[in-house]
Amino acid sequence: MFQRVMALLTKELTGLWKDRHTRFVILVPPLLQVFVFAYAATYDVRDVALGIWNDDAGVQSAELVRRFAASPAFHAVASLQSPAGAAAAIDARQVAAVLHVPQTYSADVLAGRDAEVQLLIDGRRSNTALLVESYATQIVAELSAIQPGEGKVPLTLVTRDWFNPTLESQWFILPGLVAVLSLMIAMLVSALSLARERELGTFEQLLVTPLRPAEILIGKALPGLIVGWIDANIVILAGLLWFKLPFLGSMAMLQATLVLYLLAGVAIGLVISSIARTQQQAMLSVFVIASPMVVLSGYAAPIENMPALAELVSRADPIRWMLIIARGLFLQDLPACLVLQYAWPIALIGLASFAAAWVAVRRAVT
Amino acid sequence: MTDPLVRIDDLYHSFGDRIALAGVSANVMAGVITGLIGPDGAGKTTLLRLLAGLLRPSQGRITVLGHDMVTDATSVHRAIGYMPQRFGLYEDLSVAENLQLSADLHGLTQAVRAERSAHLLRFTGLAPFNRRLAGQLSGGMKQKLGLACALLGQPRLLLLDEPSVGVDPASRRELWAIVSAMLEEGRKDGMGVIWATAYLDEAARCSEVLLLHEGKLLAATQPEAFTAPLWGRVFRLTAATGTRRKVAERARDDPSVLDATMDGDAVRIVLRKGVPVPKAAALGGIELTSLAPRFEDGFIDRLPARKVKSSHEMIRAFSQPVSASASRAAIEVHDLSRRFGTFLAVDHVTLQVARGEIFGLLGPNGAGKSTIFRMLCGLLRPSEGTAQVAGKNLLRSAAAARGRIGYMAQRFSLYAELTVLENLSFFARTYGLPRAQRALAIDLALKRFELSEVANSTSGSLPLGVKQRLALATALLHDPDILFLDEPTSGVDPLTRREFWQRIGDLSASGVAVLVTSHFMDEAENCDRLGIISDGRMIATGTPASLRAQVRTTELPDPSLEDAFIALVKRGEQPSDPT
């Protein structure tokens, strides 16, 4: 039994490696995606184009403008003089926001009166708008705290974000990518395995050997697991070495849950593979199944905002649980008891999918 | 009529480094069927695709109906009907929808389209299946539909890429009849047909023949002229019952003999050019009678000689001494049935194959022979009956039974991306050979099948003949008791085919039982015994000679195996159950 499974495993891995296309599919997208996701798909807002419309010639307004321009969130790209000019700049998407300082600003500040500045924001980019507003509020609040107002006690609200003090979205995205990417690859490799044999006509030659269904199942499951695991570790290494992510939890626990989690993915892939007649069908099925899995997992949109039904369905999604574990182990020291609490749904999903894979593969090979 | 329909001048075509056609010049005339004949990989499909304007030649000129295919292809596109070998049909569309689509592609007007479709449906006998999905037609019917689609636009040049591949002999004859009749209809318009085939016996049905081999044109002539130099060199050598294989082997070793093949109980012999006719006794036979030469004889005569290394000593050295199960039959099947839903695909078949026997299963498409074959390989579970294969019960211990058989599929079915050595090593391990024996078996396989030189080459890149040797080497690695062959030599050149059957003969002499399914009468002649399957039942069994004797009549005093097959199948069809 061991010899036959090993023979199948060696053959599968050699075949994967020798096929130029598969080699490309399992190696390049993980690395590519790490960089695309980490750099392009960031939630942070930096360098927002800001228009300055300053009607006040005083020192106080100059200080305010200087603070805006010096903030990493903004850079001043245009100097405007009129409401029409401001409107045109926003319409042309030349700027995302316009800071309007009224004529009386410096005088008001010096007199200790309530001074007002206006921020015009392009509301079409709602996500950016929210962030711009909060950055601007922060700058204004900081400034007002140190204004020379006699007898006034500056009252400021200090927020502190735990686990990700600077709210770097790479810290949030990369641990998620470990889970999403490795599962996709594990599913893909195993979904292609039987389908490829069937498409290329090697399946029957395999079936006339004394290999038993269980041996085929194991021999076809292991390559997906191995490749998925390697890809997961490529992302982990990239995160730790290139993006300098912290890793506060137990690496052993992460690796153990990854294996469990990837087995669930491999089993889903095998179910697809025992039904698909061509590699193309298998590949399409993987994407059809994987995209809702990713959406439901909470990878991009928070689960708390989902309708109750979607939330319920997402419980059967292994990515959901793996995300919690991966993020927990990277960014905080998620204790073993909590890891276990999130790992058992994965185990349950894996068990169910393997039962399905066993039935499907048996049907395909006998 | 004097101007050729197609003119090919010094045509070269290569795909990357691989040269598919090397300097082909030929003319194709209107009003006749021109056979484009050659083994797989000879360049037939490439030539047809060039003629259809689907490829641009690397070098050389093609003129179809007076138009240059490089500069002026669009003006003749509509005059060309092309039936590709595969993927010619949309399997998810019905017969009528496939025709409709072809008509759209040819831009036929409504009136012409209705009339042509009706005519072709009637002609091909597909009218009753108008609404059936193309994917659910039998092999023969699919080819007829493909033919109908290609004929829809009333082409002046009809290009057919191996229409007869995978089609049983009866359907093959029908295809020829349809094409001949359509040619007759189109003759007044100056229609011409090019029929590509790897079956050399189809050459005799063509008026003109282009013989391709390894990208070169070996002959462009009439079939009669092709075989003419062989008159007086072809003989039937009768042999004592059960000795034909030995006689053939001895004849092959004789320096005056070019070729020796099985022919019923006798041996068919082709002599070398200019040698005196030897005595029958000197060749180990009884009597020599003269025969008419066949196209294949001419082909062999023109190929450079290649000596097959005798492999039987090695096979014998390798084979283990006859084991305890020696006295038992290799395959023993009683009342074997298989149902698919309510459909009875195999109906109580009983069959025995002895050790060292080569048994052939023949039958029309869809008769159930591949179902029987798959059950005996352990690929499919029988619904009823008992089956012992290599002394193992197929129902109870299928995996153990599979461990005692070797299997060689019709198409190359090893891992193309792996090297020869990796393939051998994988199968040696899955068959559970212990490490020491594994190295020995692989080493022996490389020597026995002359694979040492290509041991580290990628299997998929090997020439067809070498692939076939590799497939056989793999099937025999674990020294099986029974070898299953699925149409093993269709499409390979005649020398490779002879080499193959010589090896199989040696193998059976060492005690291995061989089970073959085939549509190919040449392969059937190599079997010791044949079983003919029709409608899921075994309607006749016997030696090739005895089956031929069963259909001998005064009109047909010397029926071929193909005649016997067609007559027996017709006889076996029950009148009460028309299907």
Side-chain angles (χ1 to χ4, degrees), chain B residues 205-509:
Chain B
R205 295 186 179 142
C206 305
S207 310
E208 295 278 338
V209 168
L210 303 176
L211 180 62
L212 275 181
H213 185 60
E214 292 170 355
K216 294 199 182 67
L217 193 63
L218 229 54
T221 169
Q222 285 155 350
E224 300 77 33
F226 189 73
T227 52
L230 286 129
W231 281 97
R233 285 167 58 190
V234 185
F235 296 91
R236 171 178 289 156
L237 176 65
T238 48
T241 316
T243 62
R244 59 175 192 149
R245 209 177 293 282
K246 283 206 184 65
V247 171
E249 212 169 281
R250 189 160 156 196
R252 241 174 249 139
D253 289 337
D254 192 285
S256 62
V257 175
L258 176 66
D259 186 31
T261 49
M262 306 297 149
D263 180 21
D265 267 347
V267 177
R268 194 168 188 285
I269 284 175
V270 181
L271 296 179
R272 286 181 197 282
K273 203 171 172 179
V275 297
V277 179
K279 291 264 186 301
L283 300 174
I286 299 165
E287 196 190 352
L288 275 173
T289 46
S290 192
L291 287 177
R294 287 194 297 225
F295 191 83
E296 184 168 313
D297 303 331
F299 191 5
I300 294 222
D301 194 33
R302 280 165 175 80
L303 284 176
R306 183 161 28 139
K307 187 73 189 147
V308 182
K309 277 187 212 152
S310 182
S311 57
H312 47 265
E313 294 88 6
M314 281 212 232
I315 289 179
R316 282 184 198 127
F318 178 58
S319 294
Q320 280 150 7
V322 176
S323 61
S325 60
S327 54
R328 309 187 55 173
I331 301 177
E332 231 179 325
V333 168
H334 287 287
D335 286 331
L336 191 70
S337 296
R338 170 73 203 201
R339 266 172 238 282
F340 293 105
T342 56
F343 173 62
L344 192 59
V346 174
D347 185 3
H348 297 91
V349 164
T350 297
L351 156 79
Q352 277 204 6
V353 181
R355 287 176 60 92
E357 187 178 29
I358 306 179
F359 188 90
L361 275 178
L362 308 183
N365 294 115
K369 73 177 158 24
S370 37
T371 309
I372 297 177
F373 192 78
R374 290 168 57 83
M375 282 194 283
L376 295 180
C377 295
L379 288 173
L380 199 66
R381 279 184 79 80
S383 311
E384 273 172 53
T386 61
Q388 295 268 336
V389 169
K392 306 277 194 307
N393 187 313
L394 207 51
L395 286 159
R396 258 180 279 130
S397 41
R402 287 203 302 269
R404 298 307 315 142
I405 67 167
Y407 172 82
M408 190 178 146
Q410 183 182 350
R411 289 177 51 201
F412 181 69
S413 62
L414 304 182
Y415 298 97
E417 69 276 13
L418 300 188
T419 65
V420 168
L421 210 54
E422 283 164 346
N423 263 308
L424 287 172
S425 156
F426 167 63
F427 283 100
R429 288 165 80 187
T430 45
Y431 279 101
L433 298 189
R435 185 183 291 272
Q437 207 185 325
R438 197 155 71 204
L440 205 67
I442 292 175
D443 198 43
L444 206 57
L446 290 175
K447 285 206 192 91
R448 237 166 102 186
F449 293 95
E450 298 157 52
L451 294 166
S452 306
E453 277 173 31
V454 292
N456 291 311
S457 310
T458 306
S459 312
S461 65
L462 298 172
L464 196 72
V466 183
K467 271 187 193 161
Q468 199 193 35
R469 285 210 300 271
L470 173 60
L472 187 59
T474 308
L476 294 174
L477 261 184
H478 56 293
D479 196 19
D481 295 333
I482 307 165
L483 181 61
F484 284 83
L485 303 172
D486 186 0
E487 207 156 307
T489 59
S490 76
V492 304
D493 70 74
L495 285 184
T496 310
R497 194 160 69 230
R498 276 160 186 62
E499 192 183 309
F500 180 85
W501 282 104
Q502 218 170 310
R503 287 181 197 279
I504 297 300
D506 292 343
L507 205 62
S508 84

Side-chain angles (χ1 to χ4, degrees), chain B residues 58-325:
Chain B
S58 309
Q59 210 181 307
R61 252 170 79 99
I62 303 171
T63 321
V64 176
L65 297 161
H67 297 271
D68 189 305
M69 286 306 279
V70 174
T71 56
D72 199 15
T74 40
S75 41
V76 279
H77 263 320
R78 288 175 95 175
I80 298 175
Y82 174 53
M83 174 180 168
Q85 191 176 348
R86 286 167 63 199
F87 312 118
L89 298 172
Y90 293 87
E91 306 232 318
D92 300 326
L93 297 184
S94 70
V95 169
E97 285 163 341
N98 264 295
L99 281 170
Q100 186 75 23
L101 186 68
S102 277
D104 287 341
L105 293 175
H106 279 102
L108 296 190
T109 62
Q110 282 303 331
V112 175
R113 153 186 319 206
E115 188 249 305
R116 279 298 283 174
S117 304
H119 180 61
L120 285 166
L121 280 175
R122 204 166 346 104
F123 214 89
T124 50
L126 286 171
F129 309 103
N130 210 354
R131 308 185 60 171
R132 192 179 287 189
L133 294 186
Q136 289 168 4
L137 296 174
S138 74
M141 288 206 281
K142 270 187 199 160
Q143 299 299 62
K144 284 182 203 165
L145 178 56
L147 193 56
C149 288
L151 282 164
L152 210 54
Q154 283 187 292
R156 287 200 48 202
L157 175 63
L158 180 62
L159 305 171
L160 305 172
D161 196 358
E162 302 208 34
S164 47
V165 80
V167 173
D168 66 72
S171 308
R172 209 184 306 165
R173 284 189 182 184
E174 284 174 27
L175 282 173
W176 274 97
I178 295 171
V179 172
S180 307
M182 293 315 289
L183 181 65
E184 208 50 54
E185 263 183 28
R187 193 184 292 276
K188 61 177 187 309
D189 305 321
M191 179 183 174
V193 179
I194 300 182
W195 179 303
T197 179
Y199 293 118
L200 298 174
D201 56 342
E202 293 192 327
R205 295 186 179 142
C206 305
S207 310
E208 295 278 338
V209 168
L210 303 176
L211 180 62
L212 275 181
H213 185 60
E214 292 170 355
K216 294 199 182 67
L217 193 63
L218 229 54
T221 169
Q222 285 155 350
E224 300 77 33
F226 189 73
T227 52
L230 286 129
W231 281 97
R233 285 167 58 190
V234 185
F235 296 91
R236 171 178 289 156
L237 176 65
T238 48
T241 316
T243 62
R244 59 175 192 149
R245 209 177 293 282
K246 283 206 184 65
V247 171
E249 212 169 281
R250 189 160 156 196
R252 241 174 249 139
D253 289 337
D254 192 285
S256 62
V257 175
L258 176 66
D259 186 31
T261 49
M262 306 297 149
D263 180 21
D265 267 347
V267 177
R268 194 168 188 285
I269 284 175
V270 181
L271 296 179
R272 286 181 197 282
K273 203 171 172 179
V275 297
V277 179
K279 291 264 186 301
L283 300 174
I286 299 165
E287 196 190 352
L288 275 173
T289 46
S290 192
L291 287 177
R294 287 194 297 225
F295 191 83
E296 184 168 313
D297 303 331
F299 191 5
I300 294 222
D301 194 33
R302 280 165 175 80
L303 284 176
R306 183 161 28 139
K307 187 73 189 147
V308 182
K309 277 187 212 152
S310 182
S311 57
H312 47 265
E313 294 88 6
M314 281 212 232
I315 289 179
R316 282 184 198 127
F318 178 58
S319 294
Q320 280 150 7
V322 176
S323 61
S325 60

